[in-house]
Amino acid sequence: MIQNLTDHDREHLQEALGKSGQKVTPQREAVFTVLLAQRDHPTVDEVFHRAREVMPGLSLATVYNCLETFVGCGLVRQVNHERESTRYCPNLTPHAHFRDKATGRVHDIELPPEVLKSLRSILPPGFDSDVVEISFHGRAQAKDSDPSN
Amino acid sequence: MIQNLTDHDREHLQEALGKSGQKVTPQREAVFTVLLAQRDHPTVDEVFHRAREVMPGLSLATVYNCLETFVGCGLVRQVNHERESTRYCPNLTPHAHFRDKATGRVHDIELPPEVLKSLRSILPPGFDSDVVEISFHGRAQAKDSDPSN
DNA sequence: TAATCAGTTAGAATGAGTCTAATCCGCAAG
DNA sequence: CTTGCGGATTAGACTCATTCTAACTGATTA
């Protein structure tokens, strides 16, 4: 079920949007709520359908717009795997993604700072990177108690 | 300019295809030649146009087919960045990719075994991965004498 | 009240990639 | 030879995620 945002989360939303000179709208709040309610890396379409349950008039274009806005102000991350639909992830801590061949599900894998550092160290001089994407592809033993919030 | 394959490369092609029960065709040879001639991670479309110069009747569908076949038998790797067109890379050694924001160009970054190992070590028990994709995104100081072959 | 402006909306347009059905080609059997 | 077979190739239609466009909404300002 999709609950309302906690005060804390609403503040987080408001602050991040505000910093980029944008405002909180009901649509943005609904989309953000959906993202936090079920952290299973939904596609735009999944977000759309979930958000519609709460706000029936919401349009797909708006969902695209909201998600783009969130990415722009650092509220969520995009996750791409091969050429599949883009997925969205509100986990902002440094982490890698693991895509389960069997189920298609995406799992977050914690990324210790020293591993991230050793990874960055392979860049030759002159290469300056702000983003590193790491994605594993394979099989995970299912022991999956759905990672909602 | 697109030269013919060396005997060594032609053997490589023949062997890899043969192992998966497929044969060398003029189209496959042309596409493979194009990939080796200019290792700049071309898109399908780029491969298509380059190969057409050598084999004017070649169709786009065939280029897709050839590349898929090559990926299937381990002759080349796919490189995906965000949702851009898939690119192809005949470098089979373990390496990461660096995508230059400014030029859109993709560079290979050598990946030392110990870094790869430390990366794999972050997978929790139960997660088994055969493929890891690492891609950096940022700016590279241009000192680029075209990486052909 | 009117003007403005960001945000939202529906639907059209785009474009990478896939699918389909027809054709081609090399080769083995007759 | 010539026939038949199967994989490869081809052109073009199709799919579908994403982007674009132009009209509309609603809050805020003049």
Side-chain angles (χ1 to χ4, degrees):
Chain A
M1 254 310 63
I2 300 156
Q3 270 118 60
N4 285 331
L5 289 178
T6 63
D7 290 352
H8 173 266
D9 288 334
R10 185 174 292 104
E11 256 173 52
H12 182 203
L13 175 63
Q14 183 146 31
E15 190 193 316
L17 286 172
K19 266 188 195 156
S20 339
Q22 317 210 48
K23 24 185 165 168
V24 178
T25 66
Q27 287 85 348
R28 284 174 182 169
E29 201 169 311
V31 170
F32 192 57
T33 305
V34 161
L35 287 175
L36 293 189
Q38 210 180 328
R39 295 160 165 262
D40 59 351
H41 307 88
T43 61
V44 173
D45 222 60
E46 286 164 346
V47 173
F48 177 55
H49 288 299
R50 291 176 196 173
R52 285 275 256 191
E53 285 174 22
V54 155
M55 182 180 277
L58 184 68
S59 87
L60 180 61
T62 299
V63 175
Y64 273 100
N65 290 340
C66 291
L67 290 169
E68 194 192 327
T69 303
F70 293 165
V71 170
C73 66
L75 271 172
V76 308
R77 278 174 56 181
Q78 281 185 320
V79 184
N80 290 290
H81 255 289
E82 320 262 299
R83 299 216 90 246
E84 291 175 5
S85 314
T86 299
R87 295 171 176 278
Y88 291 83
C89 169
N91 177 355
L92 294 173
T93 66
H95 64 279
H97 290 111
F98 183 101
R99 164 108 178 316
D100 188 334
K101 252 185 201 155
T103 65
R105 221 175 285 184
V106 175
H107 304 266
D108 287 356
I109 305 287
E110 209 202 318
L111 187 60
E114 69 274 14
V115 173
L116 183 56
K117 207 175 135 209
S118 89
L119 200 56
R120 284 191 186 284
S121 76
I122 71 175
L123 286 177
F127 286 79
D128 224 359
S129 149
D130 37 334
V131 189
V132 198
E133 296 235 346
I134 303 160
S135 58
F136 296 92
H137 195 191
R139 273 166 211 289
Q141 250 138 65
K143 50 165 175 187
D144 243 330
S145 45
D146 165 298
S148 318
N149 214 345
Chain B
M1 255 311 64
I2 301 157
Q3 268 118 61
N4 284 333
L5 290 178
T6 62
D7 290 353
H8 173 266
D9 289 333
R10 183 174 293 104
E11 256 173 53
H12 182 203
L13 175 64
Q14 182 145 32
E15 191 193 318
L17 285 172
K19 266 188 195 158
S20 338
Q22 317 213 47
K23 28 188 162 161
V24 179
T25 67
Q27 288 85 346
R28 285 174 180 168
E29 201 168 311
V31 169
F32 192 58
T33 304
V34 161
L35 288 176
L36 292 188
Q38 210 179 327
R39 295 161 165 260
D40 59 352
H41 307 88
T43 61
V44 173
D45 222 62
E46 286 164 345
V47 173
F48 177 54
H49 289 299
R50 290 177 196 172
R52 285 274 255 189
E53 284 174 22
V54 156
M55 182 181 277
L58 184 68
S59 87
L60 181 60
T62 300
V63 175
Y64 273 100
N65 290 340
C66 291
L67 290 169
E68 194 193 327
T69 303
F70 293 166
V71 170
C73 67
L75 271 172
V76 308
R77 278 174 57 182
Q78 279 185 321
V79 183
N80 290 291
H81 255 289
E82 321 263 299
R83 297 216 90 248
E84 291 175 5
S85 315
T86 300
R87 295 173 174 278
Y88 291 83
C89 169
N91 177 355
L92 294 173
T93 65
H95 65 280
H97 289 111
F98 183 101
R99 165 107 178 315
D100 188 333
K101 254 184 200 153
T103 64
R105 221 176 283 183
V106 176
H107 303 266
D108 286 356
I109 307 286
E110 209 202 317
L111 187 60
E114 69 275 14
V115 173
L116 184 56
K117 207 176 137 209
S118 87
L119 199 57
R120 285 191 184 282
S121 76
I122 72 175
L123 286 176
F127 286 79
D128 224 359
S129 151
D130 36 335
V131 188
V132 198
E133 295 235 346
I134 302 161
S135 58
F136 296 92
H137 196 191
R139 274 167 210 290
Q141 251 138 65
K143 49 168 178 185
D144 242 332
S145 46
D146 162 303
S148 318
N149 215 346

